[in-house]
Amino acid sequence: MIKTNIKKGDNVYVLAGDDRGKQGRVLSVDRDKNRAIVEGVNIVTKATKPNAKHPQGGLIKMEAPIQISNLALIDPKSGKPTRVGYKMVDGKKVRYAKKSGEEIK
């Protein structure tokens, strides 16, 4: 398992790839493969057979995983990409944005 600074629900900025410059919310993180699925980023078209969810089947657009190293957390104060640091607050380890010093919820 690889240590990551990005968690489910975080707002991230895409640093590299075809979707460079886009922002989105993290839907899931796969720590074993070092990848995350981000809402509205890395959209692929998948052919599916008919099922309960999609009775017609056909082509479905969905998000594919993206490498975590290509993502940067968005600073809650300035809205720009930032690195993440850790500090102890009241005996708890919390993440904070290195650009503004703002705590990340």
Side-chain angles (χ1 to χ4, degrees), residues 4 6 13 15-16 34-36 66-72:
T4 65
I6 294 173
Y13 178 85
L15 298 171
N34 204 26
R35 294 184 167 269
I66 187 168
Q67 191 77 20
I68 287 180
S69 63
N70 294 335
L71 301 175

Side-chain angles (χ1 to χ4, degrees), residues 8-71:
K8 180 180 175 180
D10 285 345
N11 287 322
V12 293
Y13 178 85
V14 180
L15 298 171
D18 292 340
D19 293 318
R20 179 179 176 184
K22 287 188 182 178
Q23 296 181 10
R25 190 171 49 88
V26 175
L27 300 176
S28 69
V29 176
D30 185 355
R31 289 184 176 200
D32 294 329
K33 294 182 181 174
N34 204 26
R35 294 184 167 269
I37 296 178
V38 181
E39 192 173 40
V41 174
N42 199 19
I43 302 291
V44 295
T45 304
K46 182 177 179 184
T48 59
K49 290 184 176 181
N51 57 31
K53 193 172 181 182
H54 302 284
Q56 290 294 317
L59 300 175
I60 297 172
K61 293 192 182 285
M62 59 185 285
E63 292 96 355
I66 187 168
Q67 191 77 20
I68 287 180
S69 63
N70 294 335
L71 301 175

